[in-house]
Amino acid sequence: MPRSVNAVASRARRKKVLKLAKGNFGSRGNVWTVAKNTVEKGLTYAYRDRKNKKRQFRSLWIQRINAGVRAYGITYSEFMGKVNAKGIALNRKVLADLAMNNPKAFEKVVKTVK
C-alpha cells in the first residue's frame, strides 16, 4: 500500500507559518525552515511582551502619580496608603490620568486624602 502523506494539511500548515513570516528580510520570509524558527521566536516574544507591557504601564502610572503628589509635599507611598485607608476606589491608571490631564481634580483627591 502506498504511503499517505496528507499533503493538503501539510501545505496548509506551512502556508499559515509563511503568512506569519511575511515581511521578514530575505529567507526569513520565504524559506520554510528559517521562517518556522523566526515565527516561533516572534510568537514567544509577543507572549512575553504582553506581560511586560502591563508591568511597564503600571510603572509609568506610579511615576506620574509620584510626580503629581510631590507638588503637594507627599510621597507616592504615603499617598497610596491614605487613598486605600480612605476607601477611594480610584486605580493607578485613573489617578495617573488625573495627575497629567486634570490637575484640578487630582488636587481635590490629594486634599481629600490629606
Side-chain angles (χ1 to χ4, degrees), residues 96-104:
D97 187 53
L98 285 176
M100 268 195 68
N101 301 322
N102 200 342
K104 294 221 187 308

Side-chain angles (χ1 to χ4, degrees), residues 22-62:
K22 186 178 169 188
N24 281 298
F25 181 80
S27 61
R28 288 172 147 248
N30 55 22
V31 175
W32 160 246
T33 49
V34 182
K36 181 172 58 121
N37 294 335
T38 301
V39 167
E40 281 177 4
K41 189 120 185 189
L43 291 173
T44 304
Y45 285 141
Y47 176 79
R48 180 197 71 186
D49 291 338
R50 280 195 297 276
K51 312 294 177 225
N52 285 351
K53 184 178 172 186
K54 293 167 183 61
R55 280 181 225 154
Q56 288 170 353
F57 267 103
R58 184 181 170 95
S59 174
L60 178 66
W61 298 331
I62 289 169

Side-chain angles (χ1 to χ4, degrees), residues 58-92:
R58 184 181 170 95
S59 174
L60 178 66
W61 298 331
I62 289 169
Q63 290 168 22
R64 286 178 176 172
I65 294 167
N66 193 19
V69 295
R70 293 277 175 161
Y72 302 101
I74 316 174
T75 63
Y76 167 78
S77 61
E78 286 177 276
F79 176 72
M80 289 309 290
K82 290 177 181 178
V83 163
N84 293 329
K86 292 270 186 177
I88 297 172
L90 294 175
N91 61 17
R92 285 167 182 81

